[in-house]
Structures are given as structure tokens and as C-alpha cells.
Amino acid sequence: MPSSSDCMPPGAEMATGFVLNTGAKIPSVGLGTWQSDPSVVGEAVYAAVKAGYRHIDCASAYDNEKEVGLALKKLFEEGVVKREDLFITSQLWCGHHAPEDVPEALGDSLNDLQLEYLDLYLIQLPFRVKKGTNIGNAENYIPPDIPATWGAMEKLHDAGKARAIGVSNFSSKKLGDLLSVARIPAAVNQVECHPGWQQSKLHTFCQSTGVHLSAYSPLSSPGSKWMNGKVLKDPIVISVAEKLGKTPAQVALRWNIQMGHGVLPKSVSEERIKQNLDVNDWSIPDDLLAKFSEIKQCVQWHPTYKSGLGMSGGARFLPAKAPFSVFLHVSRLI
């Protein structure tokens, strides 16, 4: 595992953001809204921005962008922040990959969020389903055409509707394939990344190509059967936290930042929202950082899920009721 000095330029260890290949600065900590109930996500966004967050990560598939938009409107009207103070991300769902559907999907997100532009728009998944269907049925999957979808994304960037464009859940191979044909390179690849899934290969590839790796679920995925979902209970994380007088969550977040990754912790608790932001004015010493390489990287696949990785869409082999998390993990291998 690289040290912090390998990941960031000298003096950047306390940075509150990272510079994208567009020249824009993305905050080092953003609020994740995946699985945040619509009834509480607005309050979480409002509390986060009041606490100092400047990045909110959204997606139409989260089914809560309207509530996020109402919170943003309130913040603007009260003068807490201006639009230009915030970095807002949304994501293109895999049912809208057709080039003619991309601008419509972005328009829907802008309408729900009550914004005129996004700071970042991502292709959420590297596979595709028929428009109007869901990912829970293998019969819904059709071959993706990422270059064509990306061409439509580039037009949105040209029009100023998406000031940066990128991808999510892309493996090194899929990202490399895209970069080889892109007129505008992806600025970000947003993936699950934390001490229990350090994404070493993808980290190295993103560093070498100038693509920022943004980490969702940076505190791991508790309850997941497919990987190490108990990072906050890992003895190394706990030991480092005790030595530094921080919480295990803060240490896990700080590890990602020192690797050069932005983090998107999700919470609807105001106390935890504030704690998760307290990661920019201290660092993990290199001797303690090196211990993170000893944390077990646990990504275990059932043979059933390996049998059809070469099939179109990367998921036709999956059981019809496979959970969403399985599709996400599979998408990084195809």
C-alpha cells in the first residue's frame, strides 16, 4: 500500500479538497445520500451544509433528489451558502444509457434538485437495462454502448449543464477502455473504497491516468455477505483510532483521504455528520498508515456469480432477485 506522500503532493496532507483534471476542486468530504429515506434526507443535507459540507452526492436512482432539492433551495434562500459554494453530483441510471435519453435524465435531476447545472455527472453503472425496467430481472439486461453514452455526456459538458463528467463502479479495464476513446476524459470514478476494500489496482490506475477516485460507503457496508463489512470493528482501525484520540469512523475516512480519495459518508445523524467532517486538520502518521496494509481484503464470490462474467451486460448470469449490492460488485469485475 502506498504511503500518503505517494498519493498527494507535498503539503497537501491537510487539503480540504482535490483538484480534478478539469481544474475544478472537489471537496475531500461530501455527504452521501444513498439509502437516505426521503423523509429525513432533507434535514441531513441542511445540517451537513450548515456544519460545513460543500459536496452533496445524489442520484436519481436514490429516489430522494426532490427532497435534496428542497433543502438546497432553503439553504440558498436563507443565505447559508450560494450555489457556487457547493459541489453537487448526480448520476445517470443504467436504464437511460441511450444517447437520446441522457439529456432528458440530466434534465429530470436538475428539475428535482432545482439547479441549473451539476458540478459532476456520472454514469452510475457500466451495464445497461432496458428503459423503464429494473436491475432485479436478468431478462432486462441489454448490451451497453459506453462510448455512445459517453458521447452524450460530453455534449452535456459542452453545454455547461455538467461541469465535469465521470463514471461510477467502473473497473480499471472498463475505465481504460473509456479513456482510450473519450474526447473529454472522465474526471472521477466513484466506487466503494475503504480499509476493508482498498481497491489497490484501481487506485494505482486512477493515479496514473489523472482520474480522481471518489469513495462511497467509505465506512464499509455493514451486513454485506460479499466483502469485509466490519471495518469499524477491525483491530487495526480501532488501535489507530485510540492512539490518535479519534473515532474508528474518522480514522477510516482519513485513510481514504490520505490515499488521495474523496469520501462520501452517508448519515442522517447530525452528530455523526459533524464527526465525519472532522478529518481535515490532522493526519495518520506513516508508521500507522502502513499497518492498514495488514487489514484483510475480503471480497468473496459465490461460484454462481462468476459463471457468466463474459455475458452481455455483465449480469445476465445473476439470479433474477439478486440484491443490488451484488450487481454493483459484479460490475467492477466485468
Side-chain angles (χ1 to χ4, degrees):
M1 183 185 72
S3 70
S4 58
S5 59
D6 296 324
C7 303
M8 294 187 288
E13 288 81 359
M14 301 301 177
T16 57
F18 300 96
V19 178
L20 302 179
N21 57 22
T22 62
K25 186 176 181 181
I26 186 171
S28 58
V29 181
L31 180 72
T33 60
W34 182 36
Q35 295 183 327
S36 290
D37 191 273
S39 65
V40 296
V41 70
E43 294 179 3
V45 169
Y46 186 85
V49 174
K50 291 273 284 188
Y53 283 71
R54 293 297 178 262
H55 181 191
I56 308 297
D57 179 65
C58 313
S60 61
Y62 299 169
D63 292 326
N64 57 18
E65 285 194 325
K66 286 185 178 180
E67 290 75 16
V68 172
L70 289 172
L72 294 177
K73 181 182 179 182
K74 181 180 179 182
L75 288 160
F76 297 150
E77 289 178 345
E78 293 182 358
V80 177
V81 288
K82 298 177 180 179
R83 170 64 184 95
E84 56 267 28
D85 297 328
L86 297 182
F87 191 102
I88 307 296
T89 297
S90 188
Q91 304 180 48
L92 176 76
W93 182 238
C94 57
H96 298 112
H97 275 204
E100 62 271 21
D101 292 335
V102 175
E104 179 183 351
L106 174 64
D108 289 343
S109 283
L110 290 177
N111 287 336
D112 287 345
L113 293 168
Q114 302 189 51
L115 301 175
E116 295 183 357
Y117 69 89
L118 292 175
D119 296 277
L120 178 64
Y121 197 42
L122 307 175
I123 297 177
Q124 189 168 7
L125 293 162
F127 48 77
R128 181 180 177 186
V129 296
K130 301 171 187 175
K131 186 177 181 180
T133 67
N134 58 57
I135 63 173
N137 190 328
E139 295 180 358
N140 295 338
Y141 286 78
I142 58 177
D145 186 350
I146 297 299
T149 303
W150 189 253
M153 298 280 285
E154 290 175 326
K155 290 179 181 178
L156 296 177
H157 179 270
D158 293 339
K161 293 294 185 179
R163 297 192 170 181
I165 51 178
V167 296
S168 181
N169 299 299
F170 272 51
S171 64
S172 299
K173 181 183 185 306
K174 283 195 170 292
L175 180 56
D177 290 344
L178 172 59
L179 292 175
S180 69
V181 299
R183 173 171 60 88
I184 300 173
V188 169
N189 186 13
Q190 186 188 117
V191 298
E192 182 167 349
C193 183
H194 47 72
W197 191 4
Q198 298 182 15
Q199 298 273 18
S200 298
K201 178 182 177 182
L202 185 60
H203 163 90
T204 300
F205 184 77
C206 287
Q207 290 277 322
S208 68
T209 55
V211 178
H212 176 68
L213 194 156
S214 182
Y216 71 75
S217 297
L219 303 179
S220 75
S221 299
S224 171
K225 297 179 180 179
W226 310 106
M227 58 178 300
N228 185 354
K230 299 181 179 179
V231 165
L232 301 187
K233 296 181 180 180
D234 184 272
I236 291 176
V237 173
I238 292 174
S239 174
V240 171
E242 291 175 347
K243 290 178 180 179
L244 298 179
K246 302 294 180 181
T247 68
Q250 288 170 329
V251 166
L253 293 172
R254 184 63 204 178
W255 171 85
N256 245 318
I257 291 172
Q258 287 186 228
M259 291 301 99
H261 311 154
V263 291
L264 301 166
K266 171 255 177 181
S267 181
V268 295
S269 161
E270 186 171 354
E271 180 182 2
R272 288 196 182 116
I273 285 171
K274 291 179 179 179
Q275 287 180 349
N276 290 342
L277 189 61
D278 182 19
V279 291
N280 285 317
D281 61 354
W282 57 277
S283 62
I284 303 171
D286 280 349
D287 62 327
L288 296 180
L289 198 68
K291 294 184 179 297
F292 282 76
S293 63
E294 301 172 16
I295 296 176
K296 183 179 180 180
Q297 301 299 290
C298 184
V299 181
Q300 297 180 347
W301 293 90
H302 189 283
T304 301
Y305 297 125
K306 290 184 176 181
S307 61
L309 290 176
M311 298 187 73
S312 175
R316 294 192 176 191
F317 60 94
L318 290 171
K321 295 184 179 180
F324 183 52
S325 60
V326 173
F327 286 89
L328 290 181
H329 295 315
V330 168
S331 72
R332 301 186 188 100
L333 298 183
I334 59 177

